[in-house]
Amino acid sequence: MESDYDEDRGTWTEEMTRTEDCSGEDNFDNPQEILNECLDKFKTPDYIMEPGIFAQLKRYFQAGGNPEQVIELLSKNYTACAQMANLLAEWLILAGVKVTDVQAMVENNLKDMILKTFDPKKADKIFTEEGETPAWLTEMIQHPTWRSLIYRLAEEYPDCLMLNFTIKLISDAGFQGEITSISTAAQQIEVFSRVLKTAIAGFLQNTEDWQSSIQECAKMVCHGQHTYVYSQVLLQILAQESRGGFMMKRLSQEITKCAQQNHHDVTPITMALNGASSSPGACQALASMLSRNTLNPADISVLFRNYSTAEPPPIELLRNPQFLELLVDALFKPGVKINPEHKSKYIYLLAYAASVCDIPAKKGHSRKLNKDELKTTIQAIEKVHNICNINKGSTELIAELQTLYQSIRFPVVSVGVIRWVECTVTEPSYFKLCTEHCPVHLALLDEVVVCHSLLHPKVLQLLVQLFESKQDELEILVQLEMKKMLIDRMVNLLSRGCVVPVVCYIKQCWQRGDTDVSLIRYFVTEVLEAIAPPYTVEFIHLFLPMVEDEEITGTMRGDSDNDLVSEFIVHCKAHCPTIR
């Protein structure tokens, strides 16, 4: 710590040189005023430790100050606060406390003091008097402890120039990934751009837990109108790239959804970015429904006429997630009534958005519309809509299984089936009245899982919702059987490629301790029977702790190593170096 003091003393010498020009600006017509000002400063405790001491001494002597007086004041008011802190730290280290612990004590105490006494006006004054970036500030931002302090202060004092400049320095130094405070990043476009870039990169790289990455990114983008418009325009440009553009489009749509959930009306911005200017009629009809979050026959008829012409508006207008969800609810949600005269228009618009390939005109190439799958998609939606619209029991549905299974091959129909199944099986009395081991509605989800891997998260979300739902009207044993049946559906999901999310969820249930251990054991047994090596390191780290737990698999192990549990453990320890 003595070396730190010597370094600081060297820094003061440099500052004295730098402040020579500034000290020459004093008005020596009134030297007594300068003397009084300097003496007031010299009377403050430990002023001799202040970085500006040399500049003040020079002013004092140039104004004719008495050396004896200044020596007396500085020595009399020297309390050696910093040196005492250093001495106590040395004693603690000699007493056996770890150096890192002592350093953390000193830093945390200093942080608390700064947070209590920080004055943004004084900080700005010191900053402007320097005339350039202070050396101590450049060194300070290299340490995580002080960067975290800057973030907290910047959040509390967003108008402080010194803090805003320091945030930019931190971003320039490559630490933009740490700037999690949106209000801090949004103050400067350069800083926000870097933080946004880091968030987008995180979304692209985090393929397993992409939902949380989207939420983090959306929270930042939706901070204010300026951040939202800037980010969406940027994402719109990136979405036009042939490589990875569809991922940027998805991110943009998820951010729009987040903004709507936070009760922001971003419809005009969405319309403008999706080519509204070229089709004012269609845009007005769509914007009207999106703003109200409700479909109406008049606007649907306007859209139908526009998209039935030889030169329809851009398909991007229709491919608005909010609008598509409204259409899916209208056609597949039980109990929703549509005017029979307009039903075909609803079906046409949903099928058009899902199946038509619209390639915009480019240099030397005219616009291309591929409607080859439109007719068959319309027919599939219509057939399943007619089944879903009538409240049929499980026995009646068996007669429609062939039609349902054939139509589920169409992704848009599968989305509608999931919505229909969700509304049906979440009825409070559904499982009470159900007599089959596996209800037909949930068996349909198995087929959706087989046909469409992109819908796995939606199916898992519904299965989790059912698994955690309260079924107090059922007997305990019946509840356990129902949950085993849901675990069977999850294992089917796992076998079709949705491995990490399913295992993560069951592991969370086990760690929380709110799930009967027999259900965890059932899941482990089913998975062990379904899997075979090789296994990824991630899967082993997730699944092995449950397999090794004596309470879960103790009764499943035999005297030899020929049982599934022992074979899995032996294989993992032999092929995964981190487990040995």
Side-chain angles (χ1 to χ4, degrees):
M1 294 198 175
E2 187 65 31
S3 61
D4 292 341
Y5 174 75
D6 292 336
E7 288 176 12
D8 289 341
R9 188 167 54 192
T11 304
W12 295 346
T13 307
E14 293 171 9
E15 291 187 3
M16 179 179 175
T17 307
R18 284 204 308 268
T19 52
E20 284 183 356
D21 295 337
C22 298
S23 61
E25 295 175 3
D26 286 322
N27 183 5
F28 290 105
D29 292 340
N30 192 353
Q32 190 59 45
E33 184 180 341
I34 296 173
L35 290 173
N36 292 337
E37 184 183 332
C38 291
L39 289 172
D40 287 339
K41 291 181 178 180
F42 296 152
K43 289 175 185 177
T44 57
D46 273 345
Y47 190 76
I48 195 171
M49 302 297 293
E50 292 293 330
I53 178 66
F54 296 109
Q56 295 304 322
L57 284 172
K58 187 171 184 178
R59 291 181 66 213
Y60 178 76
F61 290 132
Q62 285 179 341
N66 183 358
E68 292 180 4
Q69 187 178 13
V70 70
I71 291 170
E72 183 182 354
L73 284 174
L74 289 175
S75 57
K76 183 179 178 181
N77 291 287
Y78 177 59
T79 58
C81 183
Q83 281 65 35
M84 286 299 294
N86 283 342
L87 182 61
L88 285 172
E90 296 280 355
W91 287 353
L92 285 170
I93 293 169
L94 288 172
V97 183
K98 291 181 180 179
V99 176
T100 51
D101 292 343
V102 174
Q103 185 176 350
M105 273 188 249
V106 174
E107 289 178 347
N108 290 333
N109 187 57
L110 191 54
K111 274 178 68 175
D112 292 339
M113 289 176 62
I114 293 172
L115 287 168
K116 289 177 183 177
T117 60
F118 184 79
D119 186 339
K121 292 182 179 178
K122 288 183 179 178
D124 287 346
K125 185 178 179 183
I126 294 171
F127 191 65
T128 51
E129 284 178 354
E130 289 285 342
E132 59 182 20
T133 306
W136 57 265
L137 186 60
T138 306
E139 184 180 350
M140 184 178 180
I141 65 172
Q142 297 302 318
H143 300 279
T145 303
W146 305 124
R147 289 200 300 272
S148 65
L149 173 65
I150 295 295
Y151 302 146
R152 287 184 63 181
L153 289 172
E155 185 77 7
E156 195 170 342
Y157 304 101
D159 297 326
C160 178
L161 297 176
M162 178 262 193
L163 292 174
N164 285 332
F165 181 78
T166 308
I167 290 292
K168 185 177 183 303
L169 284 181
I170 292 172
S171 175
D172 291 342
F175 301 111
Q176 66 272 7
E178 297 178 352
I179 306 175
T180 54
S181 166
I182 314 307
S183 56
T184 300
Q187 295 290 330
Q188 304 173 65
I189 190 168
E190 288 183 33
V191 177
F192 181 79
S193 297
R194 289 197 187 101
V195 175
L196 178 63
K197 179 184 175 183
T198 303
I200 293 173
F203 162 70
L204 294 173
Q205 292 166 4
N206 196 0
T207 53
E208 292 294 344
D209 194 18
W210 55 270
Q211 292 98 333
S212 62
S213 299
I214 283 178
Q215 288 300 316
E216 290 175 14
C217 197
K219 181 183 175 184
M220 177 177 63
V221 170
C222 296
H223 170 70
Q225 291 181 351
H226 63 299
T227 57
Y228 183 84
V229 173
Y230 174 75
S231 303
Q232 287 288 35
V233 170
L234 184 64
L235 289 173
Q236 181 74 8
I237 295 169
L238 292 174
Q240 295 169 11
E241 296 290 329
S242 56
R243 186 168 174 262
F246 65 94
M247 299 178 77
M248 293 298 97
K249 187 68 179 177
R250 174 62 184 272
L251 179 59
S252 173
Q253 291 173 343
E254 291 289 343
I255 289 170
T256 302
K257 186 176 180 180
C258 180
Q260 290 164 346
Q261 289 171 347
N262 291 330
H263 309 293
H264 300 302
D265 185 10
V266 293
T267 302
I269 299 170
T270 306
M271 292 291 99
L273 291 173
N274 288 337
S277 57
S278 61
S279 311
C283 172
Q284 187 175 358
L286 188 58
S288 172
M289 291 185 284
L290 294 180
S291 296
R292 297 185 179 90
N293 199 34
T294 307
L295 302 181
N296 67 76
D299 289 324
I300 288 289
S301 298
V302 172
L303 285 177
F304 176 75
R305 284 196 301 272
N306 275 270
Y307 281 94
S308 301
T309 60
E311 284 296 327
I315 198 169
E316 292 301 324
L317 276 178
L318 276 188
R319 286 179 176 164
N320 180 292
Q322 183 188 1
F323 179 62
L324 295 178
E325 283 184 16
L326 290 171
L327 282 175
V328 168
D329 279 354
L331 291 168
F332 295 99
K333 192 175 179 180
V336 177
K337 301 297 181 185
I338 302 176
N339 189 322
E341 294 180 13
H342 300 288
K343 184 188 297 183
S344 61
K345 299 174 185 176
Y346 286 72
I347 294 172
Y348 176 86
L349 290 173
L350 181 59
Y352 190 100
S355 65
V356 173
C357 180
D358 187 350
I359 303 174
K362 293 183 179 179
K363 291 181 180 179
H365 299 281
S366 58
R367 180 188 183 190
K368 292 181 181 179
L369 278 175
N370 185 340
K371 298 183 180 181
D372 292 348
E373 297 181 13
L374 178 58
K375 186 176 179 180
T376 53
T377 306
I378 289 173
Q379 292 170 348
I381 293 174
E382 190 170 7
K383 287 176 185 176
V384 176
H385 162 73
N386 291 333
I387 295 170
C388 298
N389 205 36
I390 301 170
N391 190 15
K392 294 185 177 183
S394 296
T395 308
E396 297 169 294
L397 278 178
I398 291 174
E400 307 287 356
L401 279 181
Q402 185 177 358
T403 302
L404 287 167
Y405 273 56
Q406 288 176 346
S407 302
I408 278 173
R409 291 183 296 106
F410 295 86
V412 66
V413 174
S414 288
V415 171
V417 167
I418 293 173
R419 188 75 180 103
W420 168 57
V421 170
E422 179 187 358
C423 294
T424 304
V425 300
T426 51
E427 284 289 322
S429 60
Y430 178 80
F431 287 102
K432 184 182 178 182
L433 301 175
C434 184
T435 56
E436 305 96 338
H437 170 70
C438 176
V440 176
H441 293 90
L442 295 180
L444 287 171
L445 292 185
D446 287 350
E447 185 66 16
V448 171
V449 167
V450 171
C451 296
H452 308 290
S453 58
L454 292 178
L455 293 178
H456 287 179
K458 274 186 172 294
V459 175
L460 179 59
Q461 184 181 1
L462 176 55
L463 293 176
V464 168
Q465 182 183 344
L466 292 173
F467 192 80
E468 295 180 352
S469 63
K470 299 292 183 184
Q471 302 290 340
D472 297 331
E473 294 182 357
L474 302 178
E475 295 179 6
I476 299 297
L477 290 177
V478 178
Q479 288 184 38
L480 285 174
E481 287 301 314
M482 184 201 90
K483 291 192 174 183
K484 282 185 179 180
M485 179 271 298
L486 291 172
I487 287 176
D488 286 336
R489 311 278 71 75
M490 292 185 191
V491 173
N492 177 61
L493 251 177
L494 181 146
S495 69
R496 293 294 173 175
C498 187
V499 180
V500 172
V502 170
V503 179
C504 272
Y505 173 69
I506 297 298
K507 188 177 182 181
Q508 287 171 8
C509 292
W510 170 53
Q511 290 172 334
R512 289 198 304 261
D514 58 359
T515 303
D516 193 293
V517 72
S518 66
L519 294 174
I520 307 295
R521 185 180 303 117
Y522 182 76
F523 173 79
V524 170
T525 305
E526 292 295 302
V527 172
L528 285 174
E529 290 177 354
I531 62 176
Y535 309 117
T536 65
V537 174
E538 185 178 16
F539 174 73
I540 290 174
H541 280 294
L542 285 171
F543 192 56
L544 185 60
M546 289 188 285
V547 178
E548 288 183 319
D549 187 84
E550 188 69 25
E551 187 181 11
I552 296 174
T553 61
T555 57
M556 297 164 57
R557 305 185 194 191
D559 296 332
S560 62
D561 289 342
N562 294 329
D563 58 275
L564 290 172
V565 173
S566 301
E567 287 178 359
F568 181 78
I569 294 172
V570 170
H571 177 87
C572 291
K573 291 187 175 179
H575 293 83
C576 187
T578 58
I579 300 297
R580 293 172 190 167

